[in-house]
Amino acid sequence: MVLEEILTSLMWFFYTLIPCLLVDGVAILPAPQNLSVQSTNMKHLLMWSPVTVPGEVIDYSVEYQGEYETLYLSHIWIPSSRCSPTKDPECDITDDITATVPYNLRVRAALGSQTSVWSTLEYPFNRNSTILTPPEMEITKDGFHLVINLQDLGPQFEFLVAYWKREPGAKELVKMVRSGGIPVHLETMEPGATYCIKAQTSVKAIGRQSAFSQAECVNVQGETLPLVLALFAFVGFMLILVVVPLFIWKMGRLLRSSCCPVVVLPDTLKITNSPQKLISCQKEEVAACAMTVLSSETLQGLDLAGLEKGPAEAEEPGLHDVGLMMGKAVFLFSSMDKGQEKSERACYVHV
């Protein structure tokens, strides 16, 4: 490792003194210079000064060597997954840096069949040197709910959010947010109060956190439910109180009429006299009643008008009423002459 660094230093010195050598009359392609890594929030970008050849486009190749390749794979170099080759004087090596160990990086220029020597990064790069910045945050109010939406920096990032009500002696509350890009409810706010929020970035893979962001504060006005909304809520509640019992009562009547219908007798079968009077008929009086059952066909030819009271009623029982039930007629005879006194009794036959 020490020998390799000495050779690299000598190479740099050589190219500083003699920027261009001639081999068989052909100029050797110069190597890229000023290699550096810019790393922010676990995004690593290797950069270098471009090699310029008038009228030509230079290609570059990037390779890396981690601790595993150095110790167990005989110092082999692995081409970068994104930048072999590339025409830009920079390379995103984020996907190549997968462990928190030192990485050696090198770049070579190429023009057709010509290639330069490798230029190696002066100091190995370790991703724990990345610069962590506080996340961007968006604070909103959803009614009386305090909601925060944090910048999505990737799956390795977590965020620590601190919030408090701005008043003397207020306690600072802390909440861990596992991922960004998703709105998170923090607090149910009190009307008329002011709440402040700040956040920091945390990466477990490297065991580091960023500084806290500047606190942002929101004010909750002393809002109350609008009068119209309260009125609608009251009317809706009253409608529920009235409509639901009415609906239950109506359904009960419908079910009762469906399961247990009420049978109504026709007008011709309704008894106009008192049931008590009917029951009080004596045995001999019932025997004296003339009872006749006729079919409905016989009744069709019967002249009911001729059955009205006439002179013969003084000696013979008369027709007092006629009823139809189930296609048959029930005759009730009630006028009987007992000497000088005429009595009326109502008798009926249940067919």
Side-chain angles (χ1 to χ4, degrees), residues 231-247:
L231 180 61
F232 273 115
F234 176 78
V235 172
F237 179 74
M238 294 305 297
L239 284 177
I240 292 175
L241 289 181
V242 174
V243 172
V244 172
L246 182 62
F247 176 78

Side-chain angles (χ1 to χ4, degrees), residues 202-264:
S202 175
V203 182
K204 283 186 177 181
I206 61 175
R208 291 181 53 209
Q209 300 84 28
S210 72
F212 272 101
S213 63
Q214 290 187 351
E216 296 185 22
C217 300
V218 293
N219 181 260
V220 186
Q221 301 295 331
E223 301 172 355
T224 58
L225 286 176
L227 182 60
V228 175
L229 181 60
L231 180 61
F232 273 115
F234 176 78
V235 172
F237 179 74
M238 294 305 297
L239 284 177
I240 292 175
L241 289 181
V242 174
V243 172
V244 172
L246 182 62
F247 176 78
I248 295 175
W249 175 76
K250 190 68 176 178
M251 290 299 297
R253 291 196 58 187
L254 180 61
L255 292 175
R256 186 173 60 183
S257 62
S258 300
C259 299
C260 305
V262 178
V263 178
V264 181

